[in-house]
Amino acid sequence: MSRQLGDGHRRFLQTMMGVYIIDELKAKALYQYCCETFKMQCAADRLDEFIETINLKLQPMFMQVRKGMSEENGHQYYALVNTAETDITRMTSDYADNELELFRKTMDLIVGSEKGTASSTDILNSTDTMTSKKLKKSETEHLLTRLVQDKWLCEKRGEYTLSTRCIIEMEPYIRSMYQDQVKMCHICHNVAFQCQICENPSCGIKIHNPCVARYFKGKMEPQCPACDDFWPHEIPEVRGLRSQSKK
Amino acid sequence: MSQRKRLSNTQSSSQNKRQSSSSVTQEEDEDATFTQPSTSQVQRGLEKLTPAQVDQKTAEVVQYFLMKDQKKIPVRRADLVKYVVKDYRTIYPEIIKRAARTFEQVFGLKLVEIDPKHHMYILVNNLETATSRAAPVECPTNPKMGLLFVILSVIFMKGGTVKENLIWNTLKKLRVDPGQKHEEFGDVKKVVTDEFVRQKYLEYLRIPHTEPVEYEFRWGPRADAEVSKARILEFMGKLHEQDPRSWTQQYREAHATQNSS
């Protein structure tokens, strides 16, 4: 397998630069398309190798195509990330200082919460303690809309969560900034926000909802994999590959 | 991070500055003070630096270009030197050479100097865009590009220069009224005469000796580098159900310049 970049790799990268994040199914389809368009060899199980070739060339530019799981549906995604510094680098060109401060405050709220969410009310209230130029209510609302559009946050019924893109890109930052607060998923060992927590106070491990679904699938009496206590939460169903991506 | 933050701050302030004409001349002066270092100067500069330092600076330049390219804003050499290259100005030619090589080899993009007088650069896609089947993942395309395509088509079909009224009337026929706020484009007149002009897709020039003042449109250097005239002609052919070759003048021009772009 040649380690040289072809136009297929370049087109794949160009597309990633336009969309930032794609799920595994789309990544495979795009991989196949790029190979066919530029008459390159393509093997279905070689996507990660293909991306590794791109990453080798991207590394000196402090960029990387990184794989990660969506906390929402458990699917694998690929995101184009900046590796330059552990801070919120990619965003600094798109957002003003005070907007970044509010984003950090939102992250604080999400990381500090049990369920990995922050309500719009709490975010609006957190503007009171801003040290940079304070954002007005309407400005905060507009900013939140932009952060959702730019795929940094997700919103459902007034509750904000960190998007898959945000978690993939900022995992190193989150791990170092919130060392004492952030917990890893006991199953997949990545940072966990939207998850279930063992209710045994001396245990308290976290498991992502999709990891819960997979781990406890078919088990009659779910027990915590760490302390063997009864797992009292509702076990979600394993979510199959979305049919909508097959349109 | 702090460095990059400063970088973006200075950019926004330089954009504000560009509004007033006095500071434009000031910036041009700054560019004039930057003289292209000679080969031996570059050589000496490189000897003083570690390869890692040069790589790092190249990466910063690449990132700066990519960031500007997202908004289709051309990069001025003066800004690039002032905000990114900084102390490495003695090896500027080497850094720009390496950045250009990276764009070509890694990103499939070409670094093009669109204004040799003011030293402005843009990135142009190097990869063949026409393919037999639709891509499974489409990049979100800016809806304004449709508007631009119409305007460029009109200018091209009318021989390269048109009075602004012709453009406004054409757009009105397409139910895009430059006097009204459009739900997708917002202030249409501003998009066309300001945004497209800043992005170097269009030139919007005052016609001399006209009273009242009249303006005309031409293709900007980015359009020349990025937009295929042959494709415009193909599109016009389909629209009018006519053989593109029947527009002899345009056909000749489209196929004369195609190879060079």
Side-chain angles (χ1 to χ4, degrees):
Chain A
M1 186 79 187
S2 115
R3 300 259 86 179
Q4 274 305 322
L5 283 197
D7 281 348
H9 295 99
R10 297 183 185 110
R11 171 53 50 79
F12 190 93
L13 176 57
Q14 284 184 357
T15 310
M16 287 303 294
M17 283 168 32
V19 298
Y20 306 116
I21 181 160
I22 51 174
D23 65 36
E24 197 175 20
L25 269 184
K26 288 218 183 87
K28 282 185 174 157
L30 179 64
Y31 164 54
Q32 206 185 350
Y33 167 82
C34 291
C35 290
E36 278 171 20
T37 306
F38 297 101
K39 317 250 175 334
M40 291 169 58
Q41 275 199 346
C42 173
D45 56 343
R46 286 255 169 102
L47 171 62
D48 284 338
E49 206 177 306
F50 180 81
I51 287 176
E52 206 33 57
T53 309
I54 297 175
N55 279 343
L56 269 173
K57 301 285 177 183
L58 276 184
Q59 196 203 344
M61 301 303 123
F62 306 104
M63 292 163 82
Q64 187 187 10
V65 179
R66 200 184 284 163
K67 200 176 178 178
M69 185 193 75
S70 150
E71 295 196 328
E72 186 75 27
N73 58 24
H75 296 163
Q76 295 295 323
Y77 281 77
Y78 293 88
L80 181 68
V81 303
N82 258 23
T83 59
E85 282 114 324
T86 43
D87 213 330
I88 318 175
T89 40
R90 178 125 219 159
M91 303 178 75
T92 48
S93 60
D94 293 338
Y95 296 91
D97 275 335
N98 56 346
E99 293 175 330
L100 286 175
E101 190 191 355
L102 192 81
F103 178 71
R104 282 198 196 90
K105 284 190 176 294
T106 307
M107 265 177 110
D108 293 346
L109 287 170
I110 292 174
V111 176
S113 74
E114 280 228 320
K115 286 190 192 144
T117 61
S119 70
S120 53
T121 323
D122 288 345
I123 298 172
L124 283 167
N125 285 336
S126 72
T127 56
D128 290 339
T129 56
M130 283 179 70
T131 50
S132 53
K133 190 172 170 285
K134 206 184 145 192
L135 286 161
K136 292 191 204 106
K137 183 166 181 277
S138 60
E139 290 170 335
T140 307
E141 280 164 350
H142 180 70
L143 172 65
L144 287 172
T145 316
R146 255 175 78 206
L147 286 164
V148 172
Q149 268 171 5
D150 293 349
K151 302 184 197 169
W152 294 111
L153 294 176
C154 296
E155 189 263 347
K156 236 186 222 167
R157 284 174 241 105
E159 294 286 325
Y160 289 85
T161 53
L162 299 183
S163 70
T164 308
R165 175 192 182 191
C166 178
I167 294 174
I168 295 178
E169 168 135 11
M170 295 192 196
E171 170 143 7
Y173 170 79
I174 293 167
R175 278 181 193 248
S176 68
M177 275 301 285
Y178 303 98
Q179 265 177 28
D180 308 327
Q181 274 173 291
V182 78
K183 279 200 172 178
M184 304 304 145
C185 168
H186 191 81
I187 303 298
C188 74
H189 309 295
N190 289 312
V191 287
F193 298 104
Q194 296 177 74
C195 54
Q196 296 184 352
I197 303 170
C198 178
E199 287 189 354
N200 175 356
S202 63
C203 177
I205 61 149
K206 285 185 166 184
I207 306 180
H208 286 123
N209 298 336
C211 295
V212 166
R214 249 177 259 140
Y215 183 76
F216 290 118
K217 192 186 171 199
K219 288 196 177 136
M220 295 309 283
E221 277 198 26
Q223 285 173 311
C224 169
C227 71
D228 285 338
D229 258 25
F230 175 64
W231 195 263
H233 309 282
E234 192 191 327
I235 310 300
E237 292 230 354
V238 176
R239 288 169 65 172
L241 295 171
R242 277 175 304 165
S243 50
Q244 65 176 61
S245 49
K246 286 184 195 153
K247 54 181 170 183
Chain B
M1 148 105 193
S2 58
Q3 186 190 11
R4 200 165 299 213
K5 187 66 242 173
R6 249 180 284 133
L7 192 131
S8 59
N9 279 344
T10 38
Q11 266 151 28
S12 53
S13 63
S14 77
Q15 262 154 28
N16 295 338
K17 259 197 263 167
R18 215 162 294 163
Q19 309 294 335
S20 68
S21 58
S22 64
S23 41
V24 167
T25 43
Q26 180 208 324
E27 281 199 7
E28 275 166 5
D29 287 345
E30 272 162 30
D31 192 47
T33 60
F34 175 76
T35 43
Q36 189 90 347
S38 69
T39 324
S40 58
Q41 276 176 312
V42 172
Q43 206 52 48
R44 257 177 284 139
L46 280 174
E47 280 161 13
K48 284 187 207 132
L49 296 161
T50 66
Q53 283 175 312
V54 183
D55 288 346
Q56 164 82 31
K57 194 47 88 180
T58 308
E60 283 173 28
V61 167
V62 167
Q63 296 255 1
Y64 183 81
F65 268 104
L66 291 176
M67 191 176 81
K68 290 284 180 186
D69 185 58
Q70 282 192 328
K71 298 186 178 78
K72 295 284 164 207
I73 301 169
V75 170
R76 300 154 50 93
R77 187 178 75 181
D79 293 339
L80 187 64
V81 170
K82 194 167 156 197
Y83 303 127
V84 191
V85 178
K86 293 179 195 161
D87 298 341
Y88 290 66
R89 59 183 73 210
T90 48
I91 59 159
Y92 175 83
E94 179 64 22
I95 286 177
I96 212 75
K97 202 167 82 191
R98 289 185 188 206
R101 202 190 305 146
T102 302
F103 284 126
E104 209 147 318
Q105 291 177 350
V106 183
F107 297 94
L109 302 169
K110 199 160 111 192
L111 185 66
V112 180
E113 187 173 22
I114 50 164
D115 186 340
K117 193 165 151 237
H118 299 100
H119 302 288
M120 281 203 217
Y121 302 94
I122 59 165
L123 295 173
V124 179
N125 202 336
N126 235 352
L127 303 182
E128 179 57 53
T129 45
T131 47
S132 48
R133 77 181 169 100
V137 185
E138 289 286 351
C139 293
T141 46
N142 188 341
K144 287 173 189 164
M145 288 300 119
L147 180 68
L148 175 69
F149 194 77
V150 169
I151 297 171
L152 289 176
S153 300
V154 174
I155 300 172
F156 175 57
M157 298 310 283
K158 294 284 176 192
T161 312
V162 298
K163 287 193 179 175
E164 68 171 325
N165 273 342
L166 184 72
I167 296 295
W168 306 136
N169 290 335
T170 311
L171 293 184
K172 268 185 211 159
K173 276 185 214 151
L174 300 167
R175 304 226 179 102
V176 179
D177 191 332
Q180 278 171 5
K181 199 172 154 53
H182 189 270
E183 57 175 275
E184 190 110 57
F185 310 132
D187 185 340
V188 177
K189 182 150 187 193
K190 189 158 178 252
V191 170
V192 176
T193 61
D194 185 74
E195 193 173 323
F196 289 160
V197 172
R198 246 186 307 129
Q199 295 172 334
K200 301 281 166 192
Y201 278 116
L202 291 179
E203 281 176 0
Y204 181 62
L205 304 161
R206 201 192 146 167
I207 307 170
H209 319 298
T210 44
E211 188 62 45
V213 178
E214 279 188 87
Y215 287 86
E216 61 187 14
F217 282 108
R218 282 182 208 168
W219 278 37
R222 187 193 286 274
D224 283 323
E226 226 174 65
V227 182
S228 154
K229 287 173 178 163
R231 197 159 298 158
I232 286 190
L233 212 50
E234 242 169 69
F235 168 74
M236 294 313 281
K238 275 185 199 141
L239 197 69
H240 294 277
E241 293 180 353
Q242 209 170 314
D243 189 337
R245 271 169 293 194
S246 59
W247 293 285
T248 32
Q249 184 71 38
Q250 282 85 351
Y251 189 83
R252 211 179 301 135
E253 193 186 334
H255 291 269
T257 51
Q258 203 182 20
N259 297 334
S260 63
S261 66

